[in-house]
Amino acid sequence: MTHEWNPKEFIFNNTDYNFWKGNHVVLRAMKETDVTLRNEETNDSNGFRLMNWGVELPKSLDMDKVEIDEWVDFKDYENGLMFSIDNLEGEHVGAIYLNSIDMKNGTFSFGIRIYRPFRNRGYAQEAIRIVLRYAFFELRLQKCNSGCVEGNTASQTMHEKVGFIVEGSVRRAIYMNGHYYNDLKLGLTVEEFIENEKPDS
């Protein structure tokens, strides 16, 4: 499989290349100090509701420390990979989780959260692209399955800019906020990702 923007000989010629670094963000292993900002974000009830399909109970800092400990330095590798996202100024801006990895069928999913002070700067799209390249071109996976609550136009638009295609909708699959919502299903194959990543002619 040839990638026009990343030829086979690339690995022999560029010794300054950092796979995990983009133009705006860099992905790294999660560390214990990331817990503070993560805990502060738990009062963003609607943000968590759109991500987890429900309101989370209030969390103490100690509760978040226990949760983060499972992800620090990729300890829970078999269940998924949690990356912290920093901007190039060194600020911790969010996290992205590569999960639901099915090596037999070559499918996977991801979850991403950019903290409120850092949204609408292109950080999410770039972090997703880095994780997709890793899954497609290093793990040899072939399709990413994702989704969002129908009506969450920000999430749907973000997916579509990366190349995802709406595959369908499961009606009345989500209950929250006193209402039923549809579950919008999106998918992206490795071939679609390659096509979408080609530079504009």
Side-chain angles (χ1 to χ4, degrees):
M1 188 179 297
T2 301
H3 319 302
E4 293 181 7
W5 67 93
N6 196 11
K8 189 174 181 179
E9 296 76 16
F10 174 80
I11 62 172
F12 305 113
N13 301 328
N14 193 332
T15 57
D16 296 323
Y17 175 68
N18 181 356
F19 182 92
W20 304 107
K21 184 178 179 181
N23 294 322
H24 305 289
V25 301
V26 60
L27 305 191
R28 60 167 173 80
M30 185 165 278
K31 54 189 179 183
E32 292 177 358
T33 53
D34 294 337
V35 70
T36 303
L37 187 53
R38 178 181 174 84
N39 185 258
E40 291 174 0
E41 283 290 300
T42 58
N43 61 13
D44 179 15
S45 294
N46 276 342
F48 273 91
R49 179 150 46 193
L50 290 174
M51 187 168 61
N52 298 331
W53 297 355
V55 173
E56 286 198 341
L57 294 173
K59 282 187 176 181
S60 68
L61 190 60
D62 287 339
M63 291 169 68
D64 265 329
K65 284 180 179 177
V66 171
E67 189 173 285
I68 275 189
D69 185 63
E70 299 176 3
W71 298 325
V72 167
D73 295 330
F74 307 115
K75 289 178 185 175
D76 196 22
Y77 182 88
E78 290 185 0
N79 292 317
L81 297 172
M82 179 71 79
F83 299 89
S84 286
I85 306 170
D86 290 352
N87 62 22
L88 299 191
E89 288 71 46
E91 297 172 299
H92 177 47
V93 304
I96 185 166
Y97 186 38
L98 175 61
N99 59 65
S100 303
I101 299 172
D102 181 342
M103 299 304 293
K104 174 182 177 292
N105 296 305
T107 58
F108 65 100
S109 189
F110 72 91
I112 186 167
R113 182 168 184 78
I114 301 296
Y115 300 140
R116 283 171 292 179
F118 304 102
R119 291 175 187 167
N120 301 312
R121 303 186 191 182
Y123 293 162
Q125 283 187 51
E126 189 167 67
I128 291 168
R129 285 189 167 96
I130 293 171
V131 164
L132 289 173
R133 289 182 196 121
Y134 178 66
F136 286 142
F137 306 145
E138 302 296 326
L139 300 183
R140 203 166 57 182
L141 300 175
Q142 60 91 19
K143 187 184 181 211
C144 182
N145 294 314
S146 190
C148 65
V149 179
E150 192 167 339
N152 186 355
T153 54
S155 179
Q156 182 177 345
T157 299
M158 177 189 69
H159 278 86
E160 290 174 341
K161 284 183 177 179
V162 177
F164 281 82
I165 295 171
V166 175
E167 297 184 334
S169 178
V170 181
R171 297 178 300 152
R172 293 169 59 98
I174 305 162
Y175 183 79
M176 58 185 178
N177 190 38
H179 298 276
Y180 288 100
Y181 297 84
N182 297 343
D183 178 11
L184 194 67
K185 301 295 187 182
L186 300 107
L188 177 69
T189 67
V190 61
E191 293 84 4
E192 291 162 347
F193 180 67
I194 290 171
E195 187 64 29
N196 192 65
E197 289 290 278
K198 288 180 179 178
D200 296 330
S201 54

